[in-house]
Amino acid sequence: MPLSTPNASEQTLLEQQLVNGFTLGLIYALIAVGYTMVYGVIELINFAHGEIYMLGAFLTLSFISMGLPLPLAVLLAMLAAAAIGVLLDIIAYRPLREAPRLAALITAIGMSIFLQNLAMIIWGSRPMPFPKQALPAFFSEPALTFSDVTISWMQVIIYAVALLLMVGLNLIITRTRVGTAMRALAQNQTAASLMGINVNRVISFTFALGSAMGAMAGIMVSMYYNTMYPTMGYLAGVKAFAAAVLGGIGSVPGAMLGGVVLGIAETLGAGYVSSPYRDGVAYAVMILVIIFRPSGLLGRAVTEKA
């Protein structure tokens, strides 16, 4: 039925933008938890995390091109991304554990640039589409329609996968021995080591877990927008970092909340202000939060660790 009043049209736009924003926000949340877990354990901002997100998409493409079915390709891409995250820690960050934080930060930026250029060498610099033949035909069809607002099956899959991964992550952190070890390291790394916790192993597990979730985000984005390119991780990484700061850096629930809030703010900005300014929303949110609430929405002000 056609819309009869401008108010109805505005309401439909708002509802559709909220749906789209929630979709985008869950993807940001998956990337943001990788940032916040690593920071919570070793107080490092892993700026190469955005490139892990990018590699998740390209690795899936490569596995599909080998003739593997989509579910197996996605699983292998997540495992490969987890392994890359562990190697990143062992090669780039572990030797700098006792070095000033600026050294590790510069190294993280250097690894980000290295992985971008490595992806360009392997897959080329041009954008590539996600192979549609690998996706079920119903993915692009509407799953639910209400008030002229449409939710596609692809969005439903993103909701289900993202929420399932976040619930699983929360269970790992709160209900398992390795999760307890991660929380112990976040409190005091020296004391955790004296209690018999293998610090390097727990840190590597943290990198693996965050990298796998970041890779899944990259896979879903490439499916959703039907494109991938070697520099896609930079901007997504900045936005996810802004989401982590918004929620409270070091807080996993905060990263999830920050991602959703940022995604909705970005789509509303694109719908009601101007689409070219949507990327500026992440920077504006990060600046405002740092100025008015440095600890984030769910974060707490803490004293510097000894």
Side-chain angles (χ1 to χ4, degrees), residues 273-292:
V273 181
S274 177
S275 182
Y277 291 106
R278 61 182 299 168
D279 293 336
V281 172
Y283 294 96
V285 167
M286 187 164 57
I287 292 169
L288 290 173
V289 170
I290 290 172
I291 292 173
F292 295 106

Side-chain angles (χ1 to χ4, degrees), residues 111-133:
M111 291 307 300
S112 171
I113 297 170
F114 169 77
L115 290 174
Q116 275 188 27
N117 284 273
L118 180 63
M120 290 182 190
I121 292 171
I122 296 173
W123 291 287
S125 58
R126 294 183 178 181
M128 301 176 69
F130 194 91
K132 290 185 177 180
Q133 69 275 11

Side-chain angles (χ1 to χ4, degrees), residues 8 17 32 39 75 96 137-138 141 156 159 187 191 206 209 245 267 270:
Q17 291 298 86
Y39 182 85
L75 178 61
L96 301 174
F138 69 88
E141 297 176 1
V156 171
Y159 297 159
Q187 291 293 321
T206 304
L209 197 58
V245 172
T267 54

Side-chain angles (χ1 to χ4, degrees), residues 186-207:
Q187 291 293 321
N188 191 309
Q189 192 172 125
T190 302
S193 177
L194 292 173
M195 293 298 292
I197 294 174
N198 189 320
V199 172
N200 286 331
R201 185 178 298 173
V202 173
I203 292 173
S204 292
F205 179 80
T206 304
F207 271 90

